[in-house]
Structures are given as C-alpha cells and as structure tokens.
Amino acid sequence: MKKNPTVAIVGATGAVGVEFAGCMERRNFPAGKLVPLASARSVGKTMAFRGANVPVQELTESSFAGVDIAMFSAGASISRKFAPIAVKAGAVVVDNSSAFRMDREVPLVVPEINAADVRGHHGIIANPNCTTAIVLMALYPLHRKFGVKRIFASSYQAVSGTGAKAIEELRRQVDQSVHGEPLTHEVYPYPIAFNVLPHVDSFLPTGYTKEEMKMENEGRKIMHHPGFRASVTCVRVPVYRAHSIAVTAEFEQPVSVSTAREVLSHAPGLDLVDDPTKNQYPMPLFTADHYNCAVGRLRLDCALDNGLCFWVSGDQLLKGAALNAVQIAEELIK
Ligand code: A2P
C-alpha cells in the first residue's frame, strides 16, 4: 500500500460518509487525494477536506480507477454491487455495511481487538455493526481477564445510526410536537420523538431482529471466540447521536468490580466514567463527537454467578463506523 493513498468515500454525503473525511483530517491520515462519491442527486455538492471543497462525483463502475482505498457507507446493496468492482480496479475496500461481514474471506476488524486480521484480507475488510463494536470495546478487555461465556444486553440506539433522513425525521417531529401538530413519520414505523421503538432492523423467524443477532455472530468472529453467546434487545431512542448499551456479562472466572475497573481503566479507546457518588456515568450527550467510548455503572450482577453489569456508550458514527474504518486504513498503510 502506498504511503499517500488515493481514498474514495462511497456515500460521501451520508451520516457516516461525512465523518470519514473528518476522521482522516483529524488523525492526519496521509491521503494523497480524496474522491467523494454519492448518487447523481449529490453532484454539485462538495466535501470539506483539509481546507478545500472537493466536488462530489456520481458513483459509477469507472469511479475507482487510481483509487487505493475505498471506504464504503452507502448501504449493503451498493456495497454488494460496487465493492467487487473497486477491488478489481485495484483498491482495498473498507466496508461499513453488513454485506460481507460474515464472509469467511473477509476480515471483520476492531483494531483495538484484532488488528492483525487486517493482514488476511483479499481486497475487502469489513467494519463491524456499530452497537457490536461499542459493546466489544468494553467487553473484550473483560473477556481477556475473566473469559466471557454469554451476555444479555439492551441497546439504546441513536437515530443517526439509521442515516441522515432519520436525523431529519426526529428534528421535524420535535418541531411538530412543540407546535402541537400531528407527528408525521416516513423512516420508522412509528414516531420516534418522545417514544422508544423496540425494533431495529428486520425481524427474523426466531423473534429476534437481524441487528440483535449481529452481537453474537460478529462478536464471535472479532473476538475469535466461537462459543460466545449474546441475547440482545435493540431499541431505537430519540437521541441524535451515540449509542448506549446495558450489558450483563457472565464469565468463566470469578469477577470483582475492582479488577474490572482496573482492566477497563487501561483499555485502549475507552474511558472509565464510573462514580455513582458523584452521579458520574457515561451518557450519549457526552460521548457524541468523541473517539473514545465510555463505560460505567459497573456492579456485580445480583442474579448470576460470575456476572458483571456495565453500561457502555459510544459515538456510533465514529467508533461504530468512520473512526474504526480510518483505523483499519491506518493498519493498511503501516
Ligand atoms: P445521496 O446523498 O446522493 O443519496 P445515509 O446513510 O445517511 O442515508 O447516507 C447514504 C449515502 O449513500 C449517501 O451518501 C447517499 O448519497 C449514498 N447513496 C444512496 N444511494 C446511492 C446510489 N444509488 N449510488 C450512490 N450513492 C448512493
């Protein structure tokens, strides 16, 4: 890989897409050139990068000539169609969609956990599901110490995880509510303002949603832990940015809160925010726009042996998406 790669961003106008450029800029990623790509609707828009306004181009089959790294965040169907085209043109794809995550040939990487897996790529590297990535930032260090068997978790997921249209929908509904107007909805099946939806992604015959099963499936692959089990309820909440997850984890070894605190206080990419006497715990308002995830509310689970409860919050557009992708790109040019 070149030291100053040409980087394409597919979905450059989307909620995650705009964050790719910001992360590269703030981390001084040595991109030689930026190629923002989106649909024909976005031609005429620009992407701010290092003081320049780079024109957005329409994504076509010939968009990838000369591109070294292509970061995709335009949905799974665009990834399925265009990622192989990008690879054929010589690019390495870092894909934020679910299209290739469970493909055996495709590494699924959280650099703080399994950076070495990047080396085994065949052209595509997958970025994990955002909720999974945020949970694993806290769970994996605990797993290394105590050996995780299974988790039970509920998520509190921000609307920006659904994309730019969902951010707009929440804004509009808040405005409608303030003005006493009926709440109109297009993105979600019910109003999201002043509501919570126990429904993220589509339902499976088991009653779980696809999103809920990503924690177990992707968690096993990232942690190299095929026996890991996860029972999750994913909930959409009227928060603009940053997901939070309440986790109960059961471990092989006995756990103590003091050792867990010690482990988590040294974990990369994670802040320990855990002082109930001062009302200190992680919250999405304060993890939004931050690279690090935050963990708190540590306590021994009162209903499980070797069980620990914790609450983790993180910016899903950053650690759950763009930041993680840029960290993968950094591994590629190391
Ligand atoms: P566009 O803004 O031109 O529609 P989000 O996840 O926030 O909804 O963003 C989705 C991203 O994927 C946007 O950048 C969007 O571009 C892009 N996108 C959606 N459909 C296509 C398409 N058919 N071709 C290229 N880009 C697309």
Side-chain angles (χ1 to χ4, degrees):
M1 180 60 66
K2 278 187 211 155
K3 288 283 168 225
N4 298 102
T6 294
V7 179
I9 297 179
V10 178
T13 52
V16 172
V18 295
E19 301 293 339
F20 283 133
C23 284
M24 284 196 290
E25 191 168 322
R26 273 180 279 157
R27 294 175 70 86
N28 289 320
F29 184 81
K33 188 180 163 201
L34 188 75
V35 183
L37 301 166
S39 77
R41 295 179 291 273
S42 294
V43 172
K45 292 185 182 169
T46 57
M47 181 168 223
F49 187 59
R50 294 191 203 134
N53 289 321
V54 188
V56 174
Q57 301 172 30
E58 182 182 357
L59 171 67
T60 67
E61 298 195 4
S62 49
S63 295
F64 299 98
V67 169
D68 301 299
I69 298 175
M71 299 196 186
F72 275 66
S73 193
S77 54
I78 297 281
S79 292
R80 268 187 218 104
K81 176 169 177 196
F82 285 95
I85 293 170
V87 172
K88 215 168 174 192
V92 177
V93 169
V94 182
D95 183 36
N96 195 49
S97 83
S98 60
F100 306 105
R101 285 180 192 149
M102 298 314 296
D103 190 326
R104 280 176 159 272
E105 299 281 291
V106 175
L108 177 64
V109 176
V110 175
E112 288 86 350
I113 299 174
N114 62 335
D117 288 359
V118 165
R119 305 275 153 244
H121 78 81
H122 296 89
I124 302 177
I125 301 161
N127 228 19
N129 164 258
C130 48
T131 308
T132 302
I134 291 165
V135 167
L136 294 185
M137 290 299 287
L139 184 64
Y140 183 70
L142 295 170
H143 167 56
R144 299 249 309 183
K145 185 74 185 170
F146 305 115
V148 69
K149 283 164 74 174
R150 55 181 178 164
I151 65 167
F152 304 92
S154 294
S155 70
Y156 301 67
Q157 299 187 214
V159 294
S160 48
T162 314
K165 285 200 180 96
I167 302 173
E168 182 44 41
E169 178 143 311
L170 176 56
R171 281 210 182 101
R172 189 188 64 245
Q173 290 175 356
V174 168
D175 198 49
Q176 288 168 330
S177 179
V178 166
H179 291 94
E181 296 164 9
L183 306 189
T184 57
H185 59 92
E186 288 158 21
V187 176
Y188 298 117
Y190 298 96
I192 184 64
F194 311 105
N195 197 8
V196 295
L197 272 60
H199 176 186
V200 178
D201 208 340
S202 49
F203 285 99
L204 296 164
T206 55
Y208 284 95
T209 65
K210 282 187 180 170
E211 179 89 352
E212 288 163 353
M213 295 316 298
K214 289 171 189 172
M215 190 82 74
E216 179 169 286
N217 297 333
E218 298 183 21
R220 287 176 174 183
K221 183 167 174 176
I222 295 163
M223 295 195 288
H224 299 177
H225 183 358
F228 172 64
R229 300 182 72 184
S231 176
V232 183
T233 302
C234 286
V235 183
R236 188 73 63 190
V237 296
V239 164
Y240 284 113
R241 188 164 170 147
H243 289 355
S244 306
I245 306 97
V247 182
T248 295
E250 186 186 40
F251 295 95
E252 302 281 355
Q253 309 291 325
V255 279
S256 79
V257 170
S258 58
T259 309
R261 280 216 175 95
E262 173 67 16
V263 165
L264 293 173
S265 67
H266 294 108
L270 190 71
D271 296 329
L272 179 65
V273 182
D274 192 26
D275 190 347
T277 65
K278 295 188 180 133
N279 293 344
Q280 285 183 355
Y281 30 74
M283 283 174 282
L285 265 188
F286 306 108
T287 48
D289 292 311
H290 287 266
Y291 282 164
N292 278 9
C293 298
V295 64
R297 295 295 322 276
L298 262 62
R299 59 209 189 271
L300 288 184
D301 187 86
C302 66
L304 278 181
D305 294 333
N306 301 343
L308 185 81
C309 302
F310 61 88
W311 168 262
V312 60
S313 184
D315 189 321
Q316 90 291 349
L317 298 178
L318 294 176
K319 187 58 207 172
L323 169 63
N324 199 72
V326 172
Q327 288 176 295
I328 290 172
E330 289 168 354
E331 292 294 326
L332 282 170
I333 59 164
K334 259 182 192 170

